[in-house]
Amino acid sequence: VNIGFGGLITLLLLLWLLQFSSVYSDITDGNAEHLKREHSLIKPYQGVGTSPSSQWDFWGSTLVTSQYVRLTPDERSKQGSIWNTVPCYLKDWEMHVQFKIHGSGKKNLHGDGFAIWYTKERLHPGTVFGSSANFLGLAMFIDTYPNDEAPDRSFPYISAMVNNGSLPYDHGKDGRSTELGGCSVEIRNRDHDTYLAIRYSKGRLTIMVDVDDRNDWKECIDIGGVRLPTGYYFGASAATGDLSDNHDIISMKMYQLMVEHTPEEDNQDWTKIEPSVSLLKSPKDNIDDPTGNFRSTPLTGWKVFLLLLCALLGIVVCAVVGAVVFQKRQERNKRFY
């Protein structure tokens, strides 16, 4: 076996490209054929209002302009939300949210954040970023202020929660006891818009972020065993307290994912499914876990890549050592002829 340094680099590059494509091919390319306009919020927001034909309705401090939907201004004690009036019956979907959080507050002197919802009820004001704490469905929280002030987590922080209505979101603990996972991201006061992609397909929930406006998606949450019904509503809400920020939604684009299901799955009444997650531990077991992390997920893409890289390096090392030993043996044998 003879493999030079250039060949090794080529192999590693090919392996990395294969891994890169497997990770990022999961994010839809925005194919207009699969865009579901009845569930999308797009400039200039013509379908927003209180008329019977409107597809989006808003509440509270929400201000709709031609360029953005501002859920809250940079003022204290504000709440606002915007909700799709059309229930979603897609079994597999991906939501792209373009947003901007900005304000005059300095580090840790701003708040509180906003949430993206897929829930049974809509327009239910409450204490969780402007909406109800006892919801049924899925919520993604973009939390910009650390209420818990634990040293092991930096903010802003994105997390997700699935609820059947029995577990209220604990705002004082930043939702640690019920979160499915999360990540810290620098998304506030950026010079460009930031993006969030939420994919639900075949029982798997994946959340990715693009904070540099380069179409470079980074994985934040990836968890299987998630069961969500159809017929729920999408929405977004935000709140400010003693501290404040502008929470702007630029767009929410819904894409249908073309996925095949088994006959049993197709015949099931998806509207009767109870929101749930199959985990090794229940959210209640996580209350005493200071990390707030109880995910039971397979290896992520980068972990698989590192394992493959180590395996390839091991093979290369063995091949080089074997070649050197073989060559030495050949030279030694020549001395006896």
Side-chain angles (χ1 to χ4, degrees):
V1 179
N2 185 15
I3 179 170
F5 181 75
L8 176 60
I9 294 298
T10 301
L11 281 173
L12 293 179
L13 180 60
L14 288 173
L15 183 61
W16 183 83
L17 288 174
L18 287 172
Q19 175 61 27
F20 181 89
S21 63
S22 67
V23 171
Y24 293 104
S25 62
D26 279 344
I27 296 299
T28 180
D29 59 0
N31 192 334
E33 294 179 2
H34 300 209
L35 177 68
K36 310 304 289 184
R37 294 190 177 275
E38 66 271 25
H39 302 301
S40 298
L41 182 67
I42 306 173
K43 298 178 185 178
Y45 316 116
Q46 293 178 341
V48 178
T50 57
S51 68
S53 60
S54 297
Q55 295 178 335
W56 292 83
D57 197 3
F58 59 93
W59 168 86
S61 61
T62 301
L63 173 67
V64 181
T65 74
S66 61
Q67 297 299 313
Y68 55 81
V69 175
R70 179 157 293 168
L71 300 175
T72 69
D74 190 3
E75 300 174 10
R76 297 170 61 179
S77 302
K78 298 293 184 180
Q79 289 187 351
S81 65
I82 188 164
W83 287 86
N84 193 196
T85 63
V86 183
C88 180
Y89 290 99
L90 301 178
K91 299 175 182 177
D92 304 88
W93 48 264
E94 185 168 303
M95 172 70 81
H96 289 195
V97 183
Q98 182 181 358
F99 65 95
K100 192 174 181 66
I101 302 177
H102 56 106
S104 57
K106 303 301 181 182
K107 182 174 176 61
N108 290 338
L109 293 176
H110 51 81
D112 283 329
F114 76 96
I116 303 297
W117 306 88
Y118 176 64
T119 56
K120 184 176 183 179
E121 306 291 340
R122 63 184 193 90
L123 286 173
H124 271 215
T127 58
V128 182
F129 302 99
S131 288
S132 175
N134 294 91
F135 62 93
L136 276 83
L138 169 69
M140 284 68 56
F141 305 112
I142 298 86
D143 195 348
T144 59
Y145 182 77
N147 294 288
D148 194 19
E149 297 185 355
D152 63 332
R153 180 173 296 181
S154 61
F155 284 71
Y157 188 82
I158 296 176
S159 63
M161 174 182 175
V162 172
N163 196 1
N164 62 3
S166 64
L167 293 172
Y169 176 87
D170 187 352
H171 200 62
K173 295 292 185 181
D174 300 317
R176 286 172 178 260
S177 61
T178 52
E179 74 169 36
L180 301 178
C183 62
S184 299
V185 287
E186 293 295 333
I187 54 176
R188 186 177 175 272
N189 278 347
R190 303 300 293 258
D191 294 332
H192 48 264
D193 295 335
T194 41
Y195 300 82
L196 183 71
I198 307 153
R199 164 180 283 239
Y200 178 69
S201 180
K202 295 186 75 68
R204 190 161 205 88
L205 176 68
T206 306
I207 298 178
M208 306 191 79
V209 294
D210 175 14
V211 299
D212 297 316
D213 197 14
R214 297 177 182 173
N215 199 31
D216 183 16
W217 296 96
K218 307 294 185 184
E219 184 179 289
C220 179
I221 299 171
D222 183 31
I223 183 169
V226 179
R227 289 176 56 81
L228 295 174
T230 58
Y232 280 18
Y233 296 92
F234 283 97
S237 68
T240 65
D242 293 334
L243 303 174
S244 62
D245 256 338
N246 297 300
H247 298 97
D248 298 344
I249 300 293
I250 314 301
S251 67
M252 296 174 66
K253 296 180 180 180
M254 165 62 72
Y255 298 94
Q256 180 178 10
L257 301 178
M258 311 310 291
V259 177
E260 291 187 3
H261 288 272
T262 64
E264 292 79 9
E265 291 173 334
D266 285 330
N267 293 330
Q268 184 180 7
D269 186 353
W270 284 57
T271 63
K272 304 298 184 182
I273 294 176
E274 182 181 32
S276 63
V277 184
S278 300
L279 297 166
L280 293 179
K281 294 196 297 180
S282 72
K284 289 182 179 179
D285 295 331
N286 194 46
I287 291 176
D288 296 326
D289 182 357
T291 65
N293 187 350
F294 56 94
R295 288 181 293 172
S296 173
T297 58
L299 292 174
T300 62
W302 286 111
K303 289 180 181 178
V304 172
F305 168 68
L306 290 175
L307 287 175
L308 291 174
L309 178 60
C310 292
L312 178 62
L313 289 175
I315 293 173
V316 170
V317 169
C318 291
V320 172
V321 171
V324 171
V325 171
F326 178 77
Q327 186 176 5
K328 293 290 186 181
R329 183 172 296 176
Q330 289 290 97
E331 292 176 354
R332 187 177 61 183
N333 291 337
K334 287 179 181 179
R335 297 192 187 106
F336 295 97
Y337 291 107

